[in-house]
Amino acid sequence: DKTCTQLQRTALCVAAKRGHSNVIQILCEAGANKDWPDIWGASPLLNACRTGHFEAARLLCKARANESWRGFNGFNSCPKHL
């Protein structure tokens, strides 16, 4: 299994991908970079949306994550209805 360091995932990216809303809240309040991408260009917001964690995605949007971020494959991070 690849480690977070090898995949260049921040704690916020991992929390978003796994839907840990409480951790996202704490990290955002502490000033974590909400748009830092992983090795594939996926932001925390894109990871939350791709894995179906829409509450996590809502928190990131509320924390002013870049909703127009596009991963390396060109897909947008956030559905407009969030």
Side-chain angles (χ1 to χ4, degrees):
D1 201 21
K2 298 270 185 191
T3 66
C4 292
T5 304
Q6 290 171 319
L7 299 177
Q8 298 177 3
R9 285 197 175 128
T10 63
L12 186 58
C13 210
V14 173
K17 186 175 179 80
R18 296 181 181 168
H20 297 303
S21 298
N22 56 336
V23 176
I24 292 169
Q25 184 76 36
I26 292 166
L27 291 170
C28 287
E29 288 173 1
N33 184 331
K34 291 167 276 306
D35 298 316
W36 191 271
D38 62 20
I39 195 170
W40 296 286
S43 68
L45 181 55
L46 181 55
N47 275 305
C49 290
R50 281 183 176 168
T51 54
H53 297 295
F54 298 114
E55 182 56 33
R58 281 188 202 94
L59 281 173
L60 288 162
C61 288
K62 185 177 177 184
R64 304 183 60 83
N66 185 352
E67 295 179 34
S68 62
W69 178 272
R70 295 187 183 276
F72 292 150
N73 60 6
F75 290 113
N76 191 301
S77 293
C78 189
K80 294 297 179 196
H81 64 276
L82 289 177

